Structures are given as C-alpha cells and as structure tokens.
Amino acid sequence: MGYLKQIEIENFKSWRGKNVIGPFMRFNCIIGPNGSGKSNVMDAIGFALGERATFLRVKQLRDLIHGAHIGRPVPDTTRVALRYCDQEDQETVFCRSIFGNSSEYRINGVHVSLAKYLEELQKIGIVTKARNCLVFQGAVESIALKDPKERTKMFEVISQSKEYAAEYDQKKEAMMKAKEDTQFQFNRKKSATMERKHVSQEKVE
C-alpha cells in the first residue's frame, strides 16, 4: 500500500512562498490549536486531488491564493504538489496549479488533462468524485445524521455504482420484457398443446 510522502505548497491559503510539509511516514498525526492551519493542510491535499472550490471552503479558485481572502493576493498563482510513494518506493508527483480561475495539472512535471490526472489518481485508489480519500471536518457527524435513504445514496457515490444506475435500469427493463415475452410464448405453446390434445380426442371420437 502506498502513502503520501511529502506536500509541496506555494502561496496556498495561509502559506506564503514555497513551503514543504513532511516527509511523512505511513502513519502521521498533525495536532495544533484552533486556527493553526490543520484544516488548510486538508484543503491543500484536497486541492491537489482535484477537489472543487466549494469543498475547499472558498467561493472560487483564486480565493485559494495567499492573501486573496483579504483582497491582497501576493502573486496571481498558487501550486500544491503531492509526492506519492508506492509499495516499491517509486515516487509519483501529482501537482495542481491555479492561474487566475483556471487549473493546470501535471504528473511528474508533465502537463496532462484533468481526465488523465483523475485517471492516474484512480489507479492508486483515489476517486476524487467519490471523495473516498479525505474525511473533512464535520463529515462523520453529517453521515451519522443522515437517514437510511441518504446514506444509501452516499454509498452509491463512494462505490461509483450510481454511475451504472441508468445502464442497470435499462438492462432491468430489457430483462422484464424478455420475461414477459418468454411467458407469452410459454402460454401460447401451452394453449397450442391443449388445442392439439383436444383435436386428437375429437378425432378418436
């Protein structure tokens, strides 16, 4: 199983300039008083994993740039890179940058599309759309307060089974139609058999 080895941050939220958090081990714990930036570490990781602005506690992407929340952004760009280490100690760097309100994605320094970026993350078990990697503050309480129907929908998103709902409904409808056709043909055959038997009896008589 792989792990996050290091986070490289540049002008992101409360961090000004270039900063390095780590190196991490396979198990880590970050502690600190309120307002010390613990949640911003989660936001940085979420940002690099492709999360949308609404999940990062801002209205728009450029609000993530250091100083933007007070109307005085230091630069016009920000960057977060995650250094991931797999079971064989091979490193992969996932990097997301902001230029204005648009994002740029790179894997090991090579510019890639968002689709390719998310595809490579999925290969290591991180599904951004399902949000199966990070548990943000208040998420546990929110899940506990959900009713069974809402919780089922949540699990469908996490397992990605919701993406196959339309296909499932289509195939289910086709199966029901096939069952109806089969029953119709069976009844037709049964009726024909009875008629044949009746005709045979009339012939004997």
Side-chain angles (χ1 to χ4, degrees), residues 73-158:
V74 177
D76 58 356
T77 181
T78 185
R79 181 183 72 90
V80 176
L82 303 181
R83 194 171 294 274
Y84 172 81
C85 195
D86 63 16
Q87 293 178 340
E88 299 176 354
D89 290 331
Q90 296 293 321
E91 292 185 4
T92 304
V93 180
F94 295 91
C95 180
R96 181 183 182 185
S97 304
I98 289 179
F99 299 95
N101 257 329
S102 60
S103 293
E104 179 183 273
Y105 300 89
R106 292 181 180 273
I107 299 177
N108 292 331
V110 179
H111 183 269
V112 296
S113 65
L114 174 59
K116 177 65 176 176
Y117 191 81
L118 296 179
E119 181 184 334
E120 292 300 314
L121 283 172
Q122 191 165 348
K123 287 181 181 179
I124 60 175
I126 298 173
V127 184
T128 302
K129 187 176 181 181
R131 307 189 75 198
N132 70 334
C133 180
L134 299 176
V135 181
F136 288 91
Q137 187 175 6
V140 175
E141 182 181 0
S142 174
I143 293 170
L145 294 174
K146 290 181 183 294
D147 60 42
K149 191 173 182 179
E150 292 175 331
R151 204 171 292 128
T152 299
K153 288 182 178 180
M154 182 194 70
F155 284 125
E156 286 177 347
V157 172
I158 293 175

Side-chain angles (χ1 to χ4, degrees), residues 170-185:
Q170 184 181 359
K171 290 186 175 181
K172 185 178 180 181
E173 185 178 347
M175 182 187 72
M176 295 301 294
K177 187 177 184 303
K179 281 186 176 181
E180 290 176 1
D181 291 343
T182 302
Q183 188 65 41
F184 174 77
Q185 294 299 333

